[in-house]
């Protein structure tokens, strides 16, 4: 006489045998996620510095910022297309009209403004000074949150902003190659970036968009927006430009343009990917360190003249950004701790019927699903369906 085990006992055995494997799998996923974040961050820093330095060099021999802006959008759209196909992102090239109008289109106009004025500023002022001005990003973030959302901020936040403003002012007064239009362009670019970063995160969450899909459609839309502006401003000038001053125009210009297209694509992919994996505070801290890295690399490679006072201004602005990020981090942690100790009504924890009796617990239902366990359909332990990214592809 053979004894056949009941289905429930088999499922429980499968579950108990599967738990250590799943714990190891979960640990590997966390380690891979951390490794991915570090690689994206380093890739973002390197490509951003390479892009800024190459744009500066290119504009000295090829003074067409509208064309370089167009090249950036074209490169992002062209290189993102095969990447989306390779990653098999679901609905990669399908976008509802409503999401395009409310999500992609505003981002595209902001992207055009941020990228064009950033390119224009690099052509007018040193890369190190331009990135010092861009360190004023928290100033615009606080301003917009106060005006648009009515948010109030603490004294340490305003002290950090005072340090940032002081650093930018010191750098401006001591900058040897100062240019008022370059300063204004960098400020407009920074203001556009502040709006762009807030709206991009909100749009990814609200519309459940994969960051590569968003990058593709934003780049494509920005390209379409930029084309008529480029046609009116640069198209005719490119044919009448005096290339005689260059020994070999193709060899001197084309490598720069190709490097700009590739580095802009890689820094956008890294930045969007990094933003999709970390909190906004972590992104701000990483962005602050990216400024430091770009300033250091530009001073080392381009060898533009700087004074001690100028370096002091840069250091003051970066210190202000670091302090701002630290204060925001502390405020976020404190608000989370406060929410965890808020009083909760006892009946929400221990609900009772009108007769005073507690309701019975829900029945335990065990289901076998791909060698995993589903309890009451509330939680699936199938690790193959979990994602490290908070956005569904």
């Amino acid at each position: 006489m053979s004894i056949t085990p009941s289905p429930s006992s088999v499922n429980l055995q499968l579950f108990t045998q599967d738990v250590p494997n799943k714990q190891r799998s979960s640990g590997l996923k966390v380690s891979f996620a951390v490794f991915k974040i570090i690689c994206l961050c380093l890739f973002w820093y390197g490509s951003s510095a390479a892009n800024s330095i190459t744009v500066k060099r290119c504009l000295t021999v090829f003074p067409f910022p509208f064309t370089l802006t167009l090249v950036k959008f074209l490169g992002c759209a062209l290189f993102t297309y095969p990447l989306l196909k390779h990653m098999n992102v679901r609905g990669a090239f399908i976008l509802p009209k409503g999401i395009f109008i409310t999500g992609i289109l505003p981002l595209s106009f902001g992207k055009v403004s941020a990228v064009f004025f950033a390119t224009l500023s690099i052509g007018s002022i040193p890369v190190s000074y331009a990135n010092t001005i861009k360190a004023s990003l928290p100033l615009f973030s606080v301003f917009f949150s106060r005006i648009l959302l009515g948010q109030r901020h603490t004294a340490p936040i305003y002290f950090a902003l005072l340090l940032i403003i002081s650093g930018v002012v010191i750098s401006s007064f001591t900058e040897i190659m100062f240019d008022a239009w370059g300063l204004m362009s960098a400020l407009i670019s920074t203001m556009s970036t502040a709006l762009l970063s807030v709206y991009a995160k909100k749009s990814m969450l609200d519309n459940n968009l994969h960051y590569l899909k968003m990058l593709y459609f934003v780049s494509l839309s920005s390209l379409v927006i930029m084309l008529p502006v480029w046609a009116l401003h640069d198209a005719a000038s490119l044919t009448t430009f005096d290339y005689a001053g260059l020994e070999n125009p193709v060899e001197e210009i084309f490598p720069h343009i190709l490097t700009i297209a590739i580095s802009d694509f890689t820094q956008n992919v890294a930045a969007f990917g990094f933003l999709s994996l970390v909190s906004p505070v972590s992104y701000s801290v990483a962005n602050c360190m990216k400024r430091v890295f770009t300033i250091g690399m530009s001073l080392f490679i381009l060898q533009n003249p700087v004074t001690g006072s100028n370096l002091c201004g840069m250091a003051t602005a970066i210190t202000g950004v670091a302090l701002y990020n630290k204060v925001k981090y502390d405020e976020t942690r404190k608000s989370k701790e406060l929410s965890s100790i808020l009083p909760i009504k006892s009946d929400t924890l221990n609900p009772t019927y009108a007769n005073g009796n507690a309701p019975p617990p829900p029945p335990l239902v065990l289901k076998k699903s791909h060698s995993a366990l589903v309890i009451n359909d509330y939680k699936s332990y199938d690790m193959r369906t979990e994602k490290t990214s908070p956005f569904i592809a």
Side-chain angles (χ1 to χ4, degrees):
M1 178 178 175
S2 61
I3 299 175
T4 304
S6 64
S8 59
S9 63
V10 173
N11 286 336
L12 284 173
Q13 289 174 7
L14 285 171
F15 174 65
T16 54
Q17 291 172 0
D18 225 13
V19 166
N21 293 331
K22 285 162 186 171
Q23 288 177 345
R24 285 195 295 268
S25 177
S26 179
L28 288 174
K29 280 180 175 289
V30 171
S31 300
F32 178 73
V34 172
F35 177 73
K36 184 178 179 181
I37 289 172
I38 294 174
C39 289
L40 280 173
C41 192
L42 294 176
F43 202 50
W44 180 27
Y45 287 10
S47 55
S48 178
N51 186 265
S52 297
I53 293 169
T54 308
V55 166
K56 182 67 176 179
R57 285 179 167 175
C58 186
L59 286 173
T60 56
V61 296
F62 188 71
F64 295 100
F66 285 92
T67 302
L68 295 189
T69 304
L70 194 72
V71 165
K72 290 182 178 183
F73 296 143
L74 181 62
C76 266
L78 287 177
F79 295 135
T80 308
Y81 181 83
L83 189 59
L84 277 170
K85 297 197 73 173
H86 173 72
M87 293 182 65
N88 291 322
V89 176
R90 188 175 60 196
F93 308 106
I94 301 173
L95 193 70
K97 183 179 179 181
I99 295 179
F100 175 77
I101 294 174
T102 60
I104 299 299
L105 205 56
L107 281 174
S108 301
F109 280 104
K111 186 75 171 174
V112 169
S113 174
V115 173
F116 170 71
F117 283 106
T119 305
L120 201 62
S121 67
I122 290 176
S124 305
I125 55 179
V127 174
S128 56
Y129 179 43
N131 277 272
T132 304
I133 297 171
K134 289 179 183 179
S136 62
L137 183 66
L139 176 65
F140 292 101
S141 299
V142 169
F143 174 77
F144 287 130
S145 65
R146 184 71 180 91
I147 297 299
L148 300 178
L149 304 177
Q151 293 181 353
R152 295 184 179 275
H153 301 277
T154 59
I157 288 289
Y158 289 110
F159 177 71
L161 295 181
L162 182 62
L163 283 179
I164 295 172
I165 295 171
S166 301
V168 173
V169 170
I170 293 172
S171 297
S172 299
F173 277 107
T174 59
E175 177 58 50
I176 298 174
M177 303 173 67
F178 176 79
D179 182 83
W181 179 239
L183 170 64
M184 289 302 299
S185 299
L187 287 173
I188 294 172
S189 174
T190 306
M191 181 178 63
S192 302
T193 304
L195 284 170
L196 192 66
S197 60
V198 173
Y199 199 81
K201 187 76 175 181
K202 181 179 182 298
S203 184
M204 279 193 290
L205 288 170
D206 291 349
N207 300 315
N208 206 16
L209 290 177
H210 191 281
Y211 68 91
L212 284 179
K213 181 176 179 178
M214 171 175 283
L215 177 60
Y216 173 74
F217 279 103
V218 167
S219 300
L220 203 59
S221 302
S222 301
L223 179 65
V224 174
I225 294 170
M226 196 67 193
L227 267 174
V229 181
W230 171 82
L232 290 173
H233 191 275
D234 275 8
S237 303
L238 286 171
T239 58
T240 59
F241 179 67
D242 183 18
Y243 295 94
L246 304 175
E247 295 181 4
N248 193 327
V250 175
E251 290 185 2
E252 291 186 42
I253 297 175
F254 182 74
H256 284 152
I257 289 179
L258 184 61
T259 304
I260 289 169
I262 295 174
S263 60
D264 189 73
F265 161 71
T266 53
Q267 77 162 334
N268 272 282
V269 170
F272 269 83
F274 189 79
L275 179 61
S276 70
L277 293 174
V278 301
S279 67
V281 175
S282 299
Y283 181 83
S284 298
V285 173
N287 196 41
C288 171
M289 297 309 298
K290 189 198 75 170
R291 299 282 175 223
V292 176
F293 181 82
T294 305
I295 289 172
M297 291 299 295
S298 67
L299 291 175
F300 176 74
I301 295 175
L302 297 177
Q303 298 290 315
N304 55 287
V306 290
T307 62
S309 301
N310 194 242
L311 289 174
C312 179
M314 294 179 190
T316 303
I318 295 298
T319 302
V321 175
L323 178 61
Y324 172 84
N325 291 330
K326 176 67 169 60
V327 173
K328 293 296 288 183
Y329 172 76
D330 291 341
E331 289 180 354
T332 303
R333 186 178 60 178
K334 188 178 295 184
S335 65
K336 288 182 178 179
E337 291 176 353
L338 183 63
S339 64
S340 66
I341 60 173
L342 285 176
I344 302 174
K345 291 176 66 176
S346 59
D347 58 351
T348 60
L349 294 176
N350 299 299
T352 58
Y353 289 135
N355 59 8
N357 296 327
L364 182 65
V365 180
L366 301 177
K367 296 182 181 180
K368 185 179 179 182
S369 173
H370 302 292
S371 73
L373 192 73
V374 181
I375 301 180
N376 291 336
D377 287 330
Y378 297 144
K379 170 67 180 175
S380 174
Y381 291 89
D382 190 354
M383 301 302 295
R384 289 173 293 179
T385 62
E386 295 187 6
K387 299 180 183 299
T388 55
S389 172
F391 309 109
I392 299 173

